[in-house]
Amino acid sequence: MRELPQGLTPPRNGDAIETDHHLSRRAILSGAGALALLSAAGCSTSGGVLPALELDDVTTGSVRPIRPSISVDKNITSPGVMYAGLTDGGFNVPEVPYLKVKPEFRRQIVVDTTGEAPGTIVVHLKERMLYLVQPGGDAIRYGVGIGKDGFRWSGRANIQYGREWPTWTPPPEMIARKPELVKWQAGQPGGLTNPLGARALYIYQDGKDTGYRIHGSPEWWSIGQAMSSGCVRLINQDIIDLYSRVSKKNPVVVV
């Protein structure tokens, strides 16, 4: 056992042990090893490292982001605000019980993955989602209901025009399937029970009406379902929001 230096007595229980003023060989070697590792990792005293404390003084502002940050939009807020009841065009649009709507189908800002130009409306039939592409790499996403099997359309087109609280006129083939609709063969006026809801965007391809619409619906529970006659339907609060953002000539891609 190593002897204590002369003049020092062994510490009693609870006494602090005074450390030697000289660094041990092990401590020196450990420090040297750490410096070697820092050097190997590219952490040198040049290029933003403070020599005295070995602290990195490079600010995060100098690091380029991978993509622009998600934008902040005052109209994309809590569901309780977005789906509250409102008065529009003289109609009292009822509140949507958003807790009964799957979270992914509620209006939100997401990273754009469509690859389309800003302003393009992209409808993913399989996902039951509609994306409005924004500048800077974002998209506003809305949940939608789509057409039943045999009633769907896909392709590239554009919005020819839009209508607020539009009149709905069932086509003859629909009246043939549902004779009770004959009362609306001259058109059902806009209103809370109108199948087109609060807004409608009319899809044209090569200057011709496709017969398909992007529109609102009082049947909020149908979002995420395939039960329409081919049109793309949104919650009334969502179609009001979407309508306010488009120029009525936007490109449309349905895939």
Side-chain angles (χ1 to χ4, degrees), residues 124-209:
H124 275 278
L125 297 173
K126 186 176 180 180
E127 294 180 5
R128 313 289 205 261
M129 302 288 188
L130 181 150
Y131 298 83
L132 177 61
V133 181
Q134 302 292 292
D138 298 339
I140 302 175
R141 191 180 76 188
Y142 309 82
V144 299
I146 63 171
K148 297 175 286 189
D149 288 343
F151 289 89
R152 297 171 195 158
W153 173 86
S154 61
R156 287 183 173 268
N158 68 279
I159 300 301
Q160 187 72 11
Y161 59 93
R163 292 285 184 269
E164 299 183 14
W165 297 101
T167 297
W168 175 64
T169 304
E173 56 271 22
M174 183 179 289
I175 295 175
R177 293 194 308 271
K178 298 180 178 181
E180 67 273 17
L181 296 178
V182 68
K183 63 180 178 180
W184 302 125
Q185 62 182 350
Q188 179 182 356
L192 294 174
T193 61
N194 188 298
L196 294 182
R199 305 283 191 275
L201 298 168
Y202 295 76
I203 300 176
Y204 276 58
Q205 188 178 52
D206 300 325
K208 297 179 180 179
D209 188 355

Side-chain angles (χ1 to χ4, degrees), residues 22 78 101 222 234 249:
H22 300 286
S78 69
V101 178
S222 67
L234 289 77
K249 295 292 183 181

Side-chain angles (χ1 to χ4, degrees), residues 65-72 109-111 135-138:
I66 296 174
R67 61 171 302 282
S69 59
I70 292 293
S71 62
V72 176
I109 298 177
V110 298
V111 174
D138 298 339

Side-chain angles (χ1 to χ4, degrees), residues 36-253:
L37 286 174
L38 287 173
S39 179
C43 298
S44 65
T45 56
S46 61
V49 178
L50 296 176
L53 299 177
E54 297 293 327
L55 297 178
D56 190 350
D57 69 343
V58 176
T59 62
T60 55
S62 65
V63 180
R64 271 181 104 179
I66 296 174
R67 61 171 302 282
S69 59
I70 292 293
S71 62
V72 176
D73 189 304
K74 65 181 181 179
N75 292 319
I76 310 295
T77 179
S78 69
V81 173
M82 293 189 294
Y83 297 112
L86 70 149
T87 300
D88 180 88
F91 297 102
N92 294 320
V93 181
E95 175 186 6
V96 173
Y98 66 87
L99 290 176
K100 296 183 179 180
V101 178
K102 290 183 178 180
E104 61 265 32
F105 293 137
R106 301 173 195 164
R107 188 191 323 162
Q108 54 196 281
I109 298 177
V110 298
V111 174
D112 174 47
T113 59
T114 69
E116 298 292 339
T120 304
I121 296 171
V122 181
V123 179
H124 275 278
L125 297 173
K126 186 176 180 180
E127 294 180 5
R128 313 289 205 261
M129 302 288 188
L130 181 150
Y131 298 83
L132 177 61
V133 181
Q134 302 292 292
D138 298 339
I140 302 175
R141 191 180 76 188
Y142 309 82
V144 299
I146 63 171
K148 297 175 286 189
D149 288 343
F151 289 89
R152 297 171 195 158
W153 173 86
S154 61
R156 287 183 173 268
N158 68 279
I159 300 301
Q160 187 72 11
Y161 59 93
R163 292 285 184 269
E164 299 183 14
W165 297 101
T167 297
W168 175 64
T169 304
E173 56 271 22
M174 183 179 289
I175 295 175
R177 293 194 308 271
K178 298 180 178 181
E180 67 273 17
L181 296 178
V182 68
K183 63 180 178 180
W184 302 125
Q185 62 182 350
Q188 179 182 356
L192 294 174
T193 61
N194 188 298
L196 294 182
R199 305 283 191 275
L201 298 168
Y202 295 76
I203 300 176
Y204 276 58
Q205 188 178 52
D206 300 325
K208 297 179 180 179
D209 188 355
T210 64
Y212 293 98
R213 318 285 185 240
I214 298 172
H215 63 83
S217 174
E219 299 175 336
W220 56 264
W221 58 88
S222 67
I223 301 305
Q225 306 296 317
M227 55 186 297
S228 76
S229 295
C231 294
V232 176
R233 58 172 65 179
L234 289 77
I235 294 172
N236 268 332
Q237 282 86 338
D238 282 346
I239 191 63
I240 291 172
D241 181 82
L242 175 64
Y243 189 93
S244 71
R245 299 174 185 275
V246 299
S247 66
K248 315 303 182 289
K249 295 292 183 181
N250 296 59
V252 177
V253 181

